[in-house]
């Protein structure tokens, strides 16, 4: 997000459940995820809201070594924080997200 000539970015935080999943990824995938999270943090409202979820969850997509991944997050506009709820391959992503958000 730009204000004048300044780039304003949201702070990125990961939930504990998400961090446990993240810790299992390879070092190269972790670097890709960090890069994607930084891109999202510049304009977190750019990604589409997911319908059918109780809170305002947004989803970003990326590919790594032929596998499609999703990053689900919500945004605290007032505090300028983006909370990552889940990072996972696309397969069974939405079912897993529903379980995490219960």
């Amino acid at each position: 997000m730009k204000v004048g000539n300044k780039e304003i970015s949201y702070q990125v935080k990961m939930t504990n459940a998400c961090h446990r999943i993240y810790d299992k990824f390879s070092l190269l995938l972790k670097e890709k995820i960090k890069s994607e999270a930084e891109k999202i943090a510049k304009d977190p409202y750019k990604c589409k809201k997911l319908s059918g979820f109780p809170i305002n969850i947004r989803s970003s997509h990326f590919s790594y070594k032929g596998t499609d991944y999703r990053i689900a997050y919500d945004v605290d506009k007032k505090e300028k924080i983006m909370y990552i709820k889940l990072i996972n391959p696309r397969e069974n992503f939405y079912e897993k997200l529903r379980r995490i958000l219960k």
Side-chain angles (χ1 to χ4, degrees), residues 20-102:
R20 284 191 296 274
I21 294 168
Y22 175 82
D23 284 342
K24 295 176 185 176
F25 292 141
S26 72
L27 184 59
L28 291 176
L29 179 53
K30 286 179 182 179
E31 290 300 319
K32 176 71 173 170
I33 291 167
K34 286 179 189 176
S35 171
E36 292 296 320
E38 287 172 3
K39 287 180 197 175
I40 298 166
K42 289 179 183 174
D43 186 7
Y45 293 99
K46 179 176 143 185
C47 296
K48 190 172 122 180
K49 274 188 196 178
L50 295 177
S51 60
F53 286 90
I55 58 177
N56 289 324
I57 297 291
R58 294 176 180 275
S59 176
S60 176
H61 310 176
F62 71 94
S63 289
Y64 176 76
K65 291 191 176 182
T67 302
D68 292 330
Y69 285 85
R70 304 287 188 263
I71 298 175
Y73 64 94
D74 66 351
V75 181
D76 183 335
K77 191 173 187 175
K78 183 178 179 184
E79 298 293 325
K80 299 265 190 247
I81 300 172
M82 181 181 99
Y83 292 99
I84 299 178
K85 304 291 188 178
L86 178 64
I87 304 165
N88 220 53
R90 193 219 174 279
E91 186 177 332
N92 299 321
F93 177 83
Y94 300 99
E95 294 82 11
K96 188 175 256 190
L97 182 58
R98 282 190 203 329
R99 283 194 307 264
I100 286 173
L101 296 177
K102 279 188 176 183

Side-chain angles (χ1 to χ4, degrees), residues 1-15:
M1 175 187 304
K2 278 193 171 187
V3 175
N5 290 334
K6 270 187 156 178
E7 185 84 19
I8 305 261
S9 203
Y10 280 64
Q11 184 179 2
V12 178
K13 293 189 178 186
M14 215 179 274
T15 63

